[in-house]
Amino acid sequence: MADRSRGPRPPKDEQPRDEAADIGVEARLAAGVLLNAALEGRGGLDAALSFREVSALPGPDRAFARAVAMAALRRLGEIDQILDRRLQKGPPLAVRTILRVALAQTLVLETPAFAAVSTAVKLAERDPKTRPYKNLVNAVLRGIEREGPGLTTAESNLPDWLAARWRATWGEPALAGLALAAREEPATDLSLKPGTDPAAVAEAVDGGILPGGTVRTGRRGDLAGWPGFEDGTWWVQDAAAAVPARLLAPKAGESIVDFCAAPGGKTLQLAAAGASVVALDRSDKRLDRLRANLARTRLSAEVVVTPAEEWEDPRTFDAVLLDAPCTATGTFRRNPEVLRATRPADVAKLADVQHRLLDAAAVRVKPGGRLVYCVCSLEREEGETQVIAFLRRNPAFRTVAAAPTDLGAPEEALTPEGWLRILPSMWAEKGGLDGFFIARLDRAP
């Protein structure tokens, strides 16, 4: 596989073993279940974690299954390129899934070939529908092991329609960087409560400090066992996701509403700054994580379960943060399934939702107040186009230019208009970050 050295390496607690070679057929079956669920639609992988084939596994096997599925998702185009060279005609999906799972192990996670091939053949044998193909599975995998996978292209991991959009919007060099970023398993980023020493946290979690104060670590495993978790000194939040709240510049005593607040990282930032925060979201279930983190960090916010555009509360606020629902194509490093789940029609559909939410947010801003709009999407219709149209509809608002260096954002993210357009390929030497569009809009006094 081309540029194999850039491929994600599984964390120690998810590492396929010579030790891990004894993780057996059931874990590989679960990996296939997770992979196919992710390919079937948005949220499919998370839902499949509760399926019996996955949930019944012991913890290490369950972690292994998820690591394999995520590796297969990140390299799906390349894996299929390799398979298509050796398959005269496409086998049933169940057979292709067995082959995909096996190649994700050997080519990405570096599982010993004997373990991956042996369990792949056993998987084929156990199902009457795939049993006739067990010799094919063995021959294909042995052939790849013997002769090598051949050259592949990182761009093949991107759906054709998205690659075409990104090439037209961001250019060929940016597309190449996005394709490489899509291969990589990201590190874990931590936002810290004010007064917490970043150097001490970084040392405790074997990490480093990014611009803006985010701590980045390659550590994996159960967060509850990490230093500082029980003390509530930090929460998990991608470095790019921490930028919008910094741009809003919350001050102690200010009233701020966080529209579409779940899962809550930005609410925690606002509350930690001493603001009086209302956290609004339509999903009670998704707000559970925010409630848990508020309790753990000993921060407070008023949590309201309602669609933001239907909220009947008469209050206006010093500041409004709107992280709007979007296609989330900028999060493909952490959520590779979004590349397969997103459809072209989703962009226009969500752009209409964003339009309505922006107008609902605007009326909540006091004269002289400020609004930050952001989306974790790479699509201009959800970012730049939304703000251009908003400013035409709302002449009382104006753009306030961002200062990337002060906000912990890549300098090259600054647009001529003063907005931030962060691409996942930026900060490649630091391990990248999620894609975001962010704009600050101040209302005239």
Side-chain angles (χ1 to χ4, degrees):
M1 189 174 287
D3 296 331
R4 211 171 119 188
S5 63
R6 293 183 58 86
R9 294 293 178 264
K12 290 181 180 179
D13 59 334
E14 296 179 9
Q15 186 81 23
R17 336 169 205 156
D18 316 330
E19 316 126 14
D22 64 312
I23 291 184
V25 174
E26 299 301 330
R28 269 77 171 188
L29 174 65
V33 169
L34 292 171
L35 171 60
N36 287 335
L39 296 176
E40 287 168 4
R42 189 177 296 270
L45 187 143
D46 288 339
L49 290 170
S50 64
F51 292 179
R52 179 186 54 78
E53 298 94 330
V54 183
S55 62
L57 292 174
D61 289 22
R62 193 163 57 248
F64 175 82
R66 189 177 187 279
V68 172
M70 295 292 276
L73 283 169
R74 290 192 174 98
R75 299 293 188 104
L76 192 66
E78 293 179 88
I79 287 170
D80 281 350
Q81 278 186 330
I82 295 165
L83 290 175
D84 289 344
R85 293 184 190 129
R86 294 181 172 272
L87 298 169
Q88 293 185 345
K89 71 176 189 176
L93 176 60
V95 176
R96 183 173 284 269
T97 298
I98 292 171
L99 292 167
R100 285 169 165 173
V101 165
L103 290 185
Q105 294 168 70
T106 58
L107 300 179
V108 185
L109 301 183
E110 297 185 343
T111 301
F114 75 87
V117 176
S118 172
T119 50
V121 172
K122 289 177 182 176
L123 268 176
E125 285 179 335
R126 65 184 286 165
D127 187 336
K129 295 179 181 178
T130 57
R131 193 172 299 138
Y133 297 90
K134 69 175 185 179
N135 290 336
L136 173 69
V137 168
N138 185 67
V140 168
L141 295 177
R142 293 294 183 195
I144 294 169
E145 178 191 0
R146 182 175 59 253
E147 299 166 17
L151 293 177
T152 59
T153 58
E155 190 177 311
S156 67
N157 298 313
L158 306 177
D160 291 343
W161 73 275
L162 273 176
R165 283 178 65 92
W166 294 347
R167 181 183 292 107
T169 303
W170 311 118
E172 192 68 45
L175 176 65
L178 292 171
L180 290 174
R183 284 174 157 183
E184 305 298 332
E185 180 180 6
T188 299
D189 292 346
L190 307 178
S191 289
L192 313 183
K193 286 178 69 175
T196 302
D197 181 5
V201 174
E203 182 178 3
V205 298
D206 304 315
I209 306 171
L210 296 176
T214 291
V215 171
R216 171 164 289 180
T217 175
R219 186 172 183 149
R220 306 291 177 184
D222 185 5
L223 292 170
W226 291 19
F229 179 85
E230 292 187 359
D231 296 334
T233 56
W234 51 257
W235 56 91
V236 174
Q237 185 179 32
D238 187 86
V243 173
R246 294 181 190 140
L247 181 58
L248 192 68
K251 301 176 182 65
E254 285 190 319
S255 62
I256 301 179
V257 60
D258 185 2
F259 271 28
C260 312
K266 299 174 185 65
T267 295
L268 296 173
Q269 287 179 276
L270 302 174
S276 175
V277 185
V278 177
L280 201 69
D281 201 277
R282 66 170 56 238
S283 171
D284 192 25
K285 182 177 180 180
R286 293 188 72 233
L287 283 168
D288 283 344
R289 186 190 301 179
L290 171 57
R291 295 186 184 100
N293 275 325
L294 285 170
R296 182 176 63 83
T297 57
R298 292 178 286 283
L299 296 170
S300 62
E302 178 186 348
V303 179
V304 180
V305 183
T306 188
E309 63 272 34
E310 298 175 10
W311 192 32
E312 296 181 354
D313 192 297
R315 284 177 288 179
T316 56
F317 297 83
D318 296 311
V320 176
L321 177 58
L322 171 57
D323 184 356
C326 66
T327 54
T329 49
T331 69
F332 61 66
R333 294 160 58 253
R334 302 189 185 281
N335 307 296
E337 65 271 20
V338 302
L339 297 180
R340 307 290 167 176
T342 303
R343 300 290 180 263
D346 295 340
V347 179
K349 179 180 177 181
L350 285 161
D352 184 58
V353 173
Q354 294 146 10
H355 175 120
R356 297 198 307 271
L357 285 169
L358 263 169
D359 286 348
V363 301
R364 298 288 177 175
V365 181
K366 292 178 179 178
R370 56 207 187 275
L371 164 66
V372 164
Y373 171 74
C374 63
V375 285
C376 54
S377 165
L378 301 185
E379 317 316 312
R380 285 185 60 89
E381 297 93 325
E382 301 182 78
E384 291 86 345
T385 302
Q386 285 291 346
V387 171
I388 291 169
F390 173 82
L391 291 172
R392 289 173 180 164
R393 297 193 306 273
N394 296 273
F397 286 82
R398 65 179 182 86
T399 294
V400 174
T405 302
D406 296 340
L407 301 171
E411 290 186 27
E412 62 268 37
L414 185 65
T415 73
E417 298 86 356
W419 308 325
L420 293 174
R421 168 53 77 180
I422 301 173
L423 299 180
S425 51
M426 295 175 180
W427 277 0
E429 73 285 356
K430 297 180 176 69
L433 69 177
D434 283 354
F436 262 86
F437 173 83
I438 311 166
R440 176 168 157 177
L441 310 163
D442 283 14
R443 184 173 181 174

